[in-house]
Amino acid sequence: MSFDFKTYLIQRQQQVEEALNHYLPAPTGAFAKIHEAMRYSVFAGGKRLRPLLCLASFEIFKDRLQEVLPTACAIELVHTYSLIHDDLPCMDNDDFRRGKPTNHKVFGEAMAVLAGDALLTLAFELITRAPILKPAMVVTAIRELAQVSGTTGLIGGQVQDLEAEGKTILPEQLQAIHLYKTAALLSGAVRLGGILGEANAKELKSLSHFGEKLGLSFQIIDDVLDVESTTEIMGKQTQKDFMKEKATYPALYGVERSRQMAKELYEEALVELKRFGRRVQALQALASLMINRQH
Ligand code: GRG
């Protein structure tokens, strides 16, 4: 029977929404305000690509989704925290994300900082919430998420990105920024699925390469969309990279070559999945969705 990706996607997205709703604290009681701020950005319309990648990667090896759902949600919380903080006036200073006012526009800067911090903290707690996992696996998963979130990943990329503003940088520096700020967390999501699925070292290596290449390709497409798309479609201000003199692929290579590079990386990423046979259908379809996205 052929793989029905549309049905698969709807089901998994629903499972992720339900799990996130379950794990996020209720917007009531003494901490109603911050819980409301956390929930505002988590349920603002994100595509849930990172948890979906984590689930699809896990499903290459195992079926019991309850083992991986808390970790898949944890990655989404780290992603959401990074966007809240990135939108702050001291960073990218954005008023809109996903077509809605940014967190600090609704809750104020102090609460937005704290909501981001609280999501990041909750993420690590969530990984410990799958009681069926072996303790050693929980430790490995926590280390993995910390590494792709810290200066060896997301934060490191953001620092390099800020420092590159207004400067001419080398192609390898640009690639490093994109690998750190975007590909690390995406690849981490794929790797975490493999880790919890008990992939062996060789399998994990293939998943890492797949995630890195896909993540780099995804960020190149993001750069291109900032040039070619509109504020209405993206739900946030476009042309910002140009205005802030950001280091991007279109700035260095032009739009057409950037699209070509993204396509080549995507194809290279798919090659990494060959060893897994038919159980990679969901992961393959997700990769295609990510690279052909319009927003
Ligand atoms: C502030 C610690 C800190 C990190 C910021 C670089 C960065 C991390 C944030 C800037 C926004 C940006 C360019 C992120 C890179 C990844 C990216 C393209 C995010 C958007 O991801 P989607 O499309 O978002 O998955 P949705 O809205 O669907 O969740």
Side-chain angles (χ1 to χ4, degrees):
M1 210 170 73
S2 72
F3 176 62
D4 180 359
F5 180 58
K6 209 170 159 196
T7 306
Y8 170 89
L9 192 62
I10 292 169
Q11 277 175 357
R12 292 292 173 271
Q13 273 168 336
Q14 199 179 329
Q15 284 164 308
V16 170
E17 294 308 314
E18 281 168 13
L20 283 168
N21 191 34
H22 171 73
Y23 289 127
L24 276 155
T28 52
F31 298 108
K33 196 75 188 166
I34 185 158
H35 293 168
E36 201 190 317
M38 291 159 77
R39 283 178 164 268
Y40 175 79
S41 291
V42 171
F43 297 108
K47 297 183 288 296
R48 312 302 190 204
L49 296 174
R50 292 150 193 83
L52 290 169
L53 283 172
C54 183
L55 296 180
S57 171
F58 177 84
E59 287 178 273
I60 297 174
F61 309 98
K62 291 183 182 177
D63 296 320
R64 292 187 305 269
L65 288 185
Q66 67 273 27
E67 289 183 19
V68 69
L69 264 169
T71 299
C73 290
I75 305 161
E76 185 69 5
L77 298 194
V78 172
H79 167 61
T80 310
Y81 124 79
S82 80
L83 299 182
I84 295 174
H85 281 195
D86 186 64
D87 290 335
L88 288 167
C90 62
M91 295 246 189
D92 252 5
N93 194 16
D94 275 301
D95 293 349
F96 284 93
R97 173 162 306 268
R98 301 157 172 164
K100 297 190 172 76
T102 43
N103 198 291
H104 65 273
K105 282 279 154 191
V106 179
F107 298 95
E109 276 181 51
M111 197 57 80
V113 170
L114 291 168
D117 293 342
L119 289 172
L120 176 63
T121 318
L122 181 59
F124 288 93
E125 188 195 328
L126 281 198
I127 299 184
T128 69
R129 290 266 195 107
I132 24 193
L133 291 184
K134 296 174 196 143
M137 217 187 262
V138 173
V139 172
T140 308
I142 288 176
R143 184 185 304 135
E144 177 73 27
L145 188 61
Q147 283 175 344
V148 296
S149 307
T151 51
T152 44
L154 192 63
I155 293 181
Q158 181 78 342
V159 170
Q160 289 174 298
D161 192 57
L162 286 172
E163 288 178 348
E165 270 178 28
K167 293 192 189 130
T168 308
I169 59 165
L170 298 168
E172 54 267 33
Q173 289 172 307
L174 177 61
Q175 192 195 62
I177 292 174
H178 282 28
L179 281 172
Y180 275 69
K181 84 169 178 185
T182 307
L185 193 60
L186 287 164
S187 177
V190 178
R191 279 176 55 84
L192 278 161
I195 288 167
L196 300 194
E198 299 189 85
N200 65 34
K202 280 188 181 159
E203 290 167 336
L204 213 48
K205 202 168 170 186
S206 297
L207 290 176
S208 302
H209 291 157
F210 165 77
E212 271 174 26
K213 287 175 191 293
L214 178 68
L216 187 53
S217 173
F218 179 79
Q219 183 56 53
I220 297 174
I221 296 292
D222 200 66
D223 289 355
V224 168
L225 290 175
D226 186 73
V227 177
E228 287 196 329
S229 193
T230 64
T231 301
E232 289 69 37
I233 295 173
M234 296 300 285
K236 62 177 184 181
Q237 196 187 335
T238 49
Q239 313 287 335
K240 269 206 94 170
D241 293 341
F242 176 72
M243 286 188 289
K244 293 195 96 174
E245 294 183 57
K246 287 260 190 200
T248 66
Y249 273 70
L252 199 59
Y253 299 101
V255 165
E256 208 163 309
R257 175 83 189 106
S258 298
R259 275 204 182 275
Q260 185 58 31
M261 289 168 98
K263 186 166 174 281
E264 282 164 16
L265 279 160
Y266 161 70
E267 280 160 5
E268 286 171 26
L270 292 185
V271 173
E272 300 289 341
L273 297 182
K274 285 229 161 100
R275 66 159 61 239
F276 298 107
R278 276 170 57 82
R279 289 185 67 91
V280 289
Q281 282 169 320
L283 209 48
Q284 274 170 342
L286 268 175
S288 164
L289 186 79
M290 287 170 66
I291 299 314
N292 294 306
R293 76 201 161 105
Q294 302 302 318
H295 67 89

